[in-house]
Amino acid sequence: MIPEIEQRSKLEIKEYQESKLRDLMVYLADKSNYYKRIFQQNEIDISGVRSLEDLKKLPITTKDDLQKFNNDFFCVDTSKIIDYVTTSGTTGKPVFFGLTDKDLDRLAYNEAISFACSGISDKDTVQLMTTIDRRFMAGLAYFLGARKLGAGIIRVGAGIPELQWDSIRKFKPTYLIAVPSFLLKLIEYAEKNNIDQNTSSVKGVICIGEQLRDQDFSPNVLSEKIKEKWDIELYSTYASTEMSTAFAECQFQQGGHHHPELIIVEILNDNNESVKKGEEGELVVTTLGVEAMPLLRFKTGDVVKAHYERCECGRNTLRLGPVVGRKKHMIKYKGTTIYPPAMYNLLNDFTEIKSYIIEIDNNEIGTDKITIKLGTNEFSEDLLSRLKDHFRAKLRVSPIIEFVSVQEINQLKYPNMGRKPVLFIDKREPVIN
Ligand SMILES: [Zn+2]
């Protein structure tokens, strides 16, 4: 099931998106208090926005704008809202979103074509290993998407390896939806309880929240660790509440495919200009077909690189590589620029390390100070020196390394109300710009 538009020529895809963009401009000028005001303040004539190139005439929308003017973004009366969700708030105060009946249909369609992209069909059964509640959009999207596709679904939710294996044995799911590091916990449980994961019904996993690949799409350490013990296909998917759209990998696993019916993609530099093809920049999206809270040129905060060559699967749409990092989390260290995911990948290389947190602070001379807190019960001078060497060699940084109890790490890692583990704590003074 490949949507027809995704197989058309690049030009046809562009023209299709441009007609959707023109509809969106009319809709926003009529329904959105926020964008009405923005158009007025910037003297924007919406009839002048006809092509994707015209997008640059429009100001961008930031997370700050969403936080400050949250209610002004709603284009429908609250009586039309069916489901309320909030962003995960990994950076800053969470933002509320509402979805209308039509938005829920759009979300279902998005997830159905994303699942199909990763090879799931109506013959499959999917076990959902993430939360569906806690005002979390993704969990609901997985359920709706699987339903629309006609696949079976088992809603086990997050954690509890015992219940996960019990469900796998009872209902024989062919795919799982899970955070990849949780798969390591499942393997550990299987090994302790004489379950052979390799003869289970599971063929593949849709992996969320953590990266599986390096920028050249080769498997990263986490991915290799899983596949070493469990011979299954791992598919990346990238999405957010604000985008209400997923970028899912196909069987060729060369980045997340863009769905042109649902979203317009731009990749911009610090001056909000398009980067050259193939360069990394910040992902900026314009949602299409959203009724309650459509966004125009929303800056996601994620640094990505796009790939434009035609994919072997027959889709002509662009593909997004693994997120390089969050723009806000960029660390400047003695002339080197790094993002936390590169450090996570490196730490995952050490089996002795059970959990970790990376803390960034300003030091006395105003540059970034990196502290890595490690939870391990196997402290040794040898581990410390191997770690230091590894960081110097691979990333050209010398972080401060502190060993703490696994319990202390867990307290930092799972603060109250959190839906995702915290791996990165930023104590730097906010940059005013
Ligand atoms: Zn493909």
Side-chain angles (χ1 to χ4, degrees):
M1 179 180 136
I2 304 181
E4 204 230 317
I5 185 69
E6 299 187 11
Q7 302 170 73
R8 299 249 200 98
S9 72
K10 298 245 178 231
L11 181 65
E12 283 172 304
I13 292 173
K14 181 173 182 287
E15 284 170 352
Y16 173 89
Q17 291 215 298
E18 289 171 341
S19 97
K20 293 277 179 187
L21 173 64
R22 293 191 287 269
D23 295 346
L24 174 67
M25 293 303 291
V26 173
Y27 184 76
L28 292 176
D30 182 32
K31 308 275 191 203
S32 165
N33 287 332
Y34 178 79
Y35 288 110
K36 260 189 243 179
R37 195 164 67 231
I38 290 292
F39 295 161
Q40 245 159 31
Q41 282 169 355
N42 294 277
E43 294 174 3
I44 287 158
D45 171 11
I46 59 155
S47 64
V49 181
R50 306 195 56 76
S51 69
L52 295 186
E53 290 77 17
D54 292 333
L55 278 169
K56 61 175 180 286
K57 298 177 184 169
L58 303 165
I60 52 149
T61 305
T62 64
K63 289 195 183 199
D64 253 14
D65 297 327
L66 277 181
Q67 276 164 5
K68 269 192 213 142
F69 308 107
N70 206 162
N71 287 328
D72 291 348
F73 279 90
F74 277 83
C75 292
V76 297
D77 187 76
T78 29
S79 65
K80 289 199 79 184
I81 302 295
I82 295 192
D83 192 64
Y84 290 92
V85 295
T86 46
T87 56
S88 40
T90 20
T91 48
K93 199 174 93 194
V95 171
F96 285 81
F97 274 76
L99 290 95
T100 63
D101 193 45
K102 204 176 139 212
D103 289 338
L104 287 168
D105 285 344
R106 179 190 170 284
L107 192 66
Y109 177 71
N110 159 68
E111 208 56 55
I113 59 175
S114 298
F115 281 158
C117 190
S118 304
I120 303 179
S121 77
D122 58 354
K123 307 280 183 297
D124 287 301
T125 300
V126 178
Q127 184 158 321
L128 179 51
M129 299 187 169
T130 69
T131 181
I132 196 169
D133 46 20
R134 293 205 185 189
R135 311 192 304 214
F136 189 37
M137 182 192 271
L140 180 68
Y142 303 136
F143 176 79
L144 294 174
R147 184 187 175 203
K148 186 162 184 73
L149 200 58
I153 185 148
I154 314 151
R155 288 175 293 115
V156 182
I160 333 178
E162 187 181 356
L163 189 61
Q164 303 291 359
W165 277 116
D166 180 64
S167 295
I168 292 172
R169 289 189 290 183
K170 272 200 178 83
F171 306 114
K172 311 223 168 349
T174 39
Y175 286 87
L176 312 176
I177 301 169
V179 176
S181 56
F182 182 64
L183 297 174
L184 292 172
K185 294 226 166 72
L186 282 184
I187 294 169
E188 202 181 295
Y189 183 90
E191 284 175 342
K192 275 191 192 139
N193 293 277
N194 294 319
I195 298 167
D196 180 7
Q197 62 271 20
N198 283 308
T199 54
S200 76
S201 55
V202 180
K203 292 192 296 196
V205 186
I206 307 296
C207 292
I208 62 161
E210 289 165 340
Q211 314 244 343
L212 294 174
R213 284 174 232 297
D214 293 331
Q215 287 301 319
D216 63 359
F217 302 118
S218 59
N220 67 13
V221 178
L222 177 61
S223 175
E224 276 175 350
K225 249 190 200 175
I226 297 164
K227 293 191 65 156
E228 202 179 272
K229 298 210 162 167
W230 198 356
D231 183 24
I232 41 178
E233 284 302 326
L234 304 176
Y235 298 94
S236 278
T237 177
Y238 163 66
S240 69
T241 308
E242 293 95 335
M243 299 198 291
S244 303
T245 306
F247 292 80
E249 280 185 341
C250 68
Q251 71 268 37
F252 296 98
Q253 303 182 331
Q254 299 289 302
H257 274 286
H258 168 220
H259 300 306
E261 297 162 275
L262 304 174
I263 202 161
I264 295 172
V265 169
E266 295 175 86
I267 296 173
L268 306 185
N269 65 19
D270 291 343
N271 304 319
N272 296 329
E273 295 154 347
S274 292
V275 298
K276 289 200 191 86
K277 273 199 171 174
E279 277 179 10
E280 63 181 47
E282 196 170 341
L283 177 68
V284 173
V285 298
T286 296
T287 55
L288 299 174
V290 172
E291 191 174 39
M293 220 172 130
L295 297 177
L296 186 61
R297 304 198 86 199
F298 172 71
K299 251 190 158 178
T300 61
D302 291 333
V303 177
V304 294
K305 203 162 105 178
H307 299 260
Y308 298 90
E309 313 79 51
R310 187 173 197 276
C311 184
E312 284 180 70
C313 69
R315 289 176 181 81
N316 249 329
T317 57
L318 71 81
R319 288 162 284 122
L320 292 184
V323 175
V324 178
R326 282 192 183 270
K327 186 87 195 169
K328 266 193 174 169
H329 292 172
M330 187 174 85
I331 302 160
K332 292 201 172 196
Y333 187 92
K334 293 181 184 165
T336 310
T337 301
I338 48 170
Y339 290 93
M343 294 196 273
Y344 304 157
N345 199 15
L346 200 150
L347 288 164
N348 288 336
D349 234 340
F350 292 83
T351 44
E352 305 95 313
I353 299 167
K354 298 291 174 226
S355 53
Y356 54 80
I357 292 237
I358 297 173
E359 248 178 40
I360 305 298
D361 207 344
N362 298 114
N363 67 14
E364 306 73 42
I365 50 166
T367 58
D368 292 340
K369 184 177 94 181
I370 309 169
T371 306
I372 297 171
K373 293 190 172 174
L374 301 176
T376 175
N377 303 324
E378 299 169 48
F379 168 76
S380 71
E381 286 295 336
D382 171 60
L383 173 61
L384 184 64
S385 76
R386 276 188 294 132
L387 262 169
K388 286 196 161 169
D389 288 348
H390 216 49
F391 267 94
R392 260 195 302 267
K394 291 264 167 79
L395 298 174
R396 283 177 289 148
V397 299
S398 303
I400 298 160
I401 297 174
E402 285 175 10
F403 289 88
V404 298
S405 69
V406 176
Q407 191 193 5
E408 189 182 323
I409 287 279
N410 285 342
Q411 272 166 10
L412 291 166
K413 212 172 156 180
Y414 301 99
N416 297 337
M417 307 287 290
R419 291 185 297 217
K420 294 177 190 166
V422 174
L423 295 176
F424 182 75
I425 298 173
D426 199 342
K427 293 182 163 174
R428 295 174 292 190
E429 298 288 323
V431 186
I432 315 291
N433 53 15

